[in-house]
Amino acid sequence: MHCPYCQNADTKVIDTRISEDGYSIRRRRQCLNCGHRFTTVETTLLLVRKRTGEVEPFNRGKVIAGVRKACQGRPIREEDLKMLGQRVEEDLRARGLAQVESDEIGKAILRPLRDLDEVAYMRFASVYQNFEDLNDFQNAINDLRAAAADEPQQ
């Protein structure tokens, strides 16, 4: 790490703290040449390989925007969408991979979206899974009903 004041490459770490989201580290550093102190933030980069072969950094905002479309007209709060985006990112990062395929993001969205709102889930799944006819919708509805029957009643 180069000192932003004198460009010296010799710095020492004085303090290290993990951010609240757990995906970045804040370090206080001191230049061994001029003595100035400065802060750096280190993050891990999660990359997404799109169907076209293009690779870009993961963007939680894109996940939320895509799910927001499926939730239009539904009684879903913005905080719930943000939590869903966080859950999806945590799921992807927990896999320990530096790069994920874009379709893995769609799969990671389905479960938390189903738990959040079944209608929004059906909207998202119909586009993501390329439903072609009513049978595709009926199969998805049957799966939802089977999953609901398997869950313990409160």
Side-chain angles (χ1 to χ4, degrees):
M1 177 58 55
H2 292 277
C3 172
Y5 301 100
C6 71
Q7 304 305 314
N8 183 39
D10 292 328
T11 63
K12 70 175 180 178
V13 175
I14 298 170
D15 183 40
T16 300
R17 295 185 186 188
I18 297 174
S19 68
E20 288 181 19
D21 65 8
Y23 298 117
S24 61
I25 297 173
R26 178 187 165 274
R27 297 191 196 275
R28 285 293 291 162
R29 296 178 180 269
Q30 183 173 18
C31 177
L32 297 177
N33 183 46
C34 69
H36 277 94
R37 292 183 178 195
F38 58 98
T39 300
T40 60
V41 178
E42 301 171 16
T43 60
T44 57
L45 189 61
L46 178 62
L47 298 174
V48 178
R49 178 177 296 281
K50 300 172 88 172
R51 290 183 189 132
T52 62
E54 184 182 342
V55 176
E56 65 181 40
F58 175 81
N59 183 340
R60 188 187 302 179
K62 282 187 170 184
V63 170
I64 294 169
V67 172
R68 185 179 289 122
K69 290 176 188 174
C71 295
Q72 277 184 314
R74 302 295 302 155
I76 297 172
R77 302 175 320 192
E78 188 65 24
E79 301 88 53
D80 293 333
L81 292 177
K82 289 179 181 177
M83 286 300 299
L84 184 140
Q86 182 177 343
R87 284 180 62 189
V88 169
E89 184 173 355
E90 287 172 355
D91 175 29
L92 295 171
R93 288 185 183 275
R95 298 174 189 195
L97 302 172
Q99 185 171 299
V100 296
E101 300 294 325
S102 60
D103 67 321
E104 290 298 314
I105 296 173
K107 290 176 186 174
I109 290 171
L110 288 173
R111 177 62 190 216
L113 184 55
R114 188 188 86 188
D115 295 342
L116 181 61
D117 187 272
E118 290 178 341
V119 172
Y121 166 83
M122 288 297 294
R123 289 176 178 171
F124 186 87
S126 69
V127 173
Y128 173 71
Q129 296 175 340
N130 296 318
F131 286 11
E132 293 183 12
D133 56 32
L134 290 176
N135 288 328
D136 292 336
F137 279 95
Q138 188 61 54
N139 291 336
I141 291 169
N142 292 342
D143 291 344
L144 279 173
R145 287 185 174 145
D150 290 342
E151 293 176 2
Q153 299 298 319
Q154 296 181 8

